[in-house]
Amino acid sequence: MASPIEHLDVAIIGAGISGIGAAHRLLTECPGKTFALFDARAAIGGTWDLFRYPGIRSDSDMYTLSYPWRPWTGRDAIADGSSILSYLQDTAEDAGVTPHIRFNTRLVSANFSSTTSHWTLQLETDGGGDSERRTVTCSFLYSCTGYYNYAAPYRPDLAGIEDFTGEVVHPQFWPESLDYAGKQVVVIGSGATAISLIPSLVDDAAHVTMLQRSPSYIVPVPRRDRFAAAFRKVLPPRIAYTLARARNVVYPLSFYQLCTRLPPCGEGVSAGPGPQHPQRRETAQRSLHPRL
């Protein structure tokens, strides 16, 4: 006899930063609703558990990235991946979210019925070699999957790559045993992954080159936020966090507006006009013309 189909008020797909936040809101604001988080992986954290490349860290400050109901109290405003993962694990446990997570469960299909106003989910659970299909229905489906394809990351069609005799590595599947010491390394791209990865490679690699299609504005900032540290010394934690978060929202937004409305000023700030960096300033003046 077939098992009865389970019905949930809310089904959350993904147990990463978004899924944990959604579950907390349901627990605190809709305590009578039934829900579950389904995650295809065996661990909590989503992206922050998947990516293990050297130097992985947040690409925005933690006062903005963290949950408002659990302020970030770490020393670093730009935190490394392991610290963020610990923060998510502790948050999920303390908020009572963890018992609602069903790991190793992948969403195969989701179909909505206008007649019943319900979603019908086909789920596949990996039981250590044996897969089991089952059906769950829900009234609301909350997709918190992010934008990464965990199984097949984006790989651009690079002509001639098959003739390259060196090693080609995708950061999403960084081998733990990869030895790049003393080697010539080229990092293709200049996004958040490249910015995080390159500083961790330069100490051991013979030479590291960033290959980018067009330059972008990059400004070095301290890992630790001195304003947030000052706020914490004289103000209660909640107020200090609120002020630090407000500052870190306004500052990058203002800088973005500066770069888009007055590009020459943005170039000057990014280049770092100090006389101690004449070569960097000359290079920036010659080639730093971002496409906005």
Side-chain angles (χ1 to χ4, degrees):
M1 181 177 178
S3 301
I5 295 176
E6 179 184 13
H7 178 77
L8 300 167
D9 291 316
V10 183
I12 301 172
I13 309 302
I17 190 168
S18 298
I20 294 169
H24 168 78
R25 295 298 185 186
L26 287 170
L27 286 170
T28 56
E29 299 178 23
C30 304
K33 300 297 183 182
T34 59
F35 73 93
L37 298 88
F38 300 99
D39 199 293
R41 307 184 74 249
I44 202 171
T47 296
W48 300 107
D49 179 70
L50 173 70
F51 283 67
R52 301 299 177 91
Y53 61 82
I56 180 172
R57 57 176 173 78
S58 59
D59 53 5
S60 62
D61 68 277
M62 289 302 298
Y63 304 106
T64 304
L65 186 64
S66 62
Y67 302 112
W69 40 271
R70 189 184 176 96
W72 175 256
T73 57
R75 297 176 61 188
D76 294 339
I78 305 297
D80 58 64
S82 60
S83 297
I84 298 173
L85 180 58
S86 295
Y87 167 78
L88 293 176
Q89 292 169 336
D90 294 343
T91 298
E93 188 66 33
D94 294 345
V97 171
T98 305
H100 294 271
I101 303 175
R102 303 181 190 181
F103 295 107
N104 298 310
T105 304
R106 182 173 65 89
L107 176 65
V108 178
S109 66
N111 295 288
F112 183 74
S113 170
S114 298
T115 303
T116 63
S117 296
H118 287 168
W119 287 91
T120 298
L121 311 181
Q122 295 297 325
L123 302 167
E124 186 175 81
T125 301
D126 182 3
D130 297 325
S131 296
E132 177 185 350
R133 286 279 186 106
R134 57 195 174 95
T135 301
V136 171
T137 62
C138 62
S139 301
F140 292 89
L141 178 62
Y142 203 160
S143 178
C144 298
T145 59
Y147 50 86
Y148 292 109
N149 185 327
Y150 284 6
Y154 173 68
R155 295 181 183 273
D157 185 14
L158 302 175
I161 191 67
E162 64 279 359
D163 299 324
F164 179 62
T165 57
E167 190 164 4
V168 179
V169 177
H170 196 292
Q172 187 164 320
F173 300 121
W174 191 274
E176 292 185 10
S177 60
L178 181 64
D179 182 13
Y180 52 86
K183 296 182 179 179
Q184 304 283 337
V185 179
V186 175
V187 177
I188 301 176
S190 57
T193 300
I195 298 300
S196 302
L197 176 62
I198 289 175
S200 297
L201 300 178
V202 295
D203 289 338
D204 295 325
H207 189 269
V208 179
T209 300
M210 174 192 284
L211 181 63
Q212 57 182 346
R213 181 174 54 189
S214 59
S216 57
Y217 291 112
I218 298 177
V219 179
V221 296
R223 178 183 291 270
R224 295 176 182 171
D225 188 329
R226 58 190 179 93
F227 291 97
F231 293 154
R232 284 201 297 264
K233 287 182 179 180
V234 298
L235 296 171
R238 178 69 64 175
I239 296 176
Y241 166 78
T242 301
L243 290 176
R245 187 177 189 277
R247 176 190 175 273
N248 282 284
V249 168
V250 172
Y251 176 76
L253 179 61
S254 301
F255 183 64
Y256 171 78
Q257 294 296 332
L258 173 69
C259 293
T260 54
R261 299 186 182 192
L262 299 171
C265 294
E267 293 175 15
V269 174
S270 299
Q276 69 273 26
H277 297 295
Q279 184 177 3
R280 186 176 70 173
R281 181 172 56 182
E282 179 183 348
T283 301
Q285 290 173 346
R286 182 177 65 252
S287 60
L288 179 58
H289 297 290
R291 301 174 184 176
L292 302 175

